[in-house]
Amino acid sequence: MIILASASLARAKLLRDFGVAFIQKPLDFDEDSIQTKNPKKFVYEATAGKLKAALETFGDKSPVLVADSVISVQGELQRKAKNTNEAVAFLNKQNAQTIEILTCMMYHAPKIDFIDISVTAYELYAFEPEDLRDYLDSKDWMGKAGCVMVEGFHKRYIKSQVGLTSTAMGLSVEKILPFLEII
């Protein structure tokens, strides 16, 4: 059984949906300590920091999985919005654009270490102003990288997709499954 070192309900749901046995044990990592604005570098550094914290907390004998996701719009990093004004700015930048969701995951087990950075790109239609207001009022965007919910608000605005939906939801499960056997 692996340790999912994440509080993410979406990551836990993905593992359950794919039949992966796990124990969810969230841990704290200060992502604000990361200085880079480069989306790929940021998501890698955040995940590496989480893995280091997980190994310090749980030891290196148990299989542990960590992940992080960020949004890139025209190369600009979008993390979790800190307030409604930042959420409005993020969503306005995404409106009728192509967004990239970058997910990095790291898996450590006694016999294997696995690192993957994957990207799923969505070309989006223009958001309806009323839908956008309702989404902002709902606060469902809170705690979501770039305020993106491909299973919620953003779903009806997807014009095209390149990449895995699981990557966009925070964990490229299809890519890690073969390696979970090696524990």
Side-chain angles (χ1 to χ4, degrees):
M1 181 163 320
I2 68 170
I3 296 171
L4 173 63
S6 170
S8 169
L9 298 176
R11 289 187 181 112
K13 181 180 181 333
L14 284 166
L15 289 176
R16 274 193 302 279
D17 289 351
F18 279 87
V20 176
F22 69 96
I23 299 170
Q24 191 166 14
K25 294 185 178 183
L27 53 84
D28 287 326
F29 174 73
D30 180 17
E31 292 181 10
D32 290 333
S33 65
I34 301 170
Q35 299 301 308
T36 185
K37 300 274 190 222
N38 178 294
K40 186 175 181 182
K41 189 171 180 183
F42 183 93
V43 77
Y44 175 82
E45 288 182 19
T47 308
K50 289 177 181 183
L51 181 61
K52 182 178 185 229
L55 294 176
E56 289 170 357
T57 303
F58 308 122
D60 64 356
K61 303 293 185 232
S62 297
V64 64
L65 177 63
V66 297
D68 195 69
S69 298
V70 297
I71 307 303
S72 176
V73 183
Q74 300 169 349
E76 186 177 302
L77 174 67
Q78 293 184 348
R79 296 175 47 207
K80 295 173 184 159
K82 293 180 176 76
N83 53 51
T84 303
N85 289 339
E86 193 171 33
V88 168
F90 284 173
L91 292 162
N92 283 337
K93 181 119 181 154
Q94 296 167 17
N95 198 0
Q97 297 295 316
T98 297
I99 64 171
E100 295 180 328
I101 303 172
L102 292 82
T103 293
C104 180
M105 59 184 176
M106 296 183 182
Y107 174 68
H108 169 82
K111 296 180 184 177
I112 191 169
D113 285 294
F114 176 86
I115 299 172
D116 178 75
I117 297 178
S118 296
V119 178
T120 297
Y122 290 100
E123 182 181 2
L124 300 175
Y125 292 110
F127 301 147
E128 293 292 331
E130 187 176 321
D131 282 348
L132 187 55
R133 275 192 304 278
D134 290 346
Y135 182 51
L136 289 164
D137 289 345
S138 76
K139 305 287 189 205
D140 288 343
W141 52 268
M142 295 179 81
K144 307 287 184 192
C147 306
V148 173
M149 287 187 69
V150 297
E151 72 281 18
F153 171 76
H154 287 75
K155 186 174 186 172
R156 69 181 140 251
Y157 295 105
I158 296 171
K159 186 177 191 179
S160 66
Q161 173 181 339
V162 177
L164 298 170
T165 299
S166 63
T167 296
M169 293 180 68
L171 197 62
S172 306
V173 181
E174 296 91 336
K175 292 186 174 190
I176 190 77
L177 281 177
F179 300 96
L180 296 178
E181 304 292 321
I182 308 171
I183 53 175

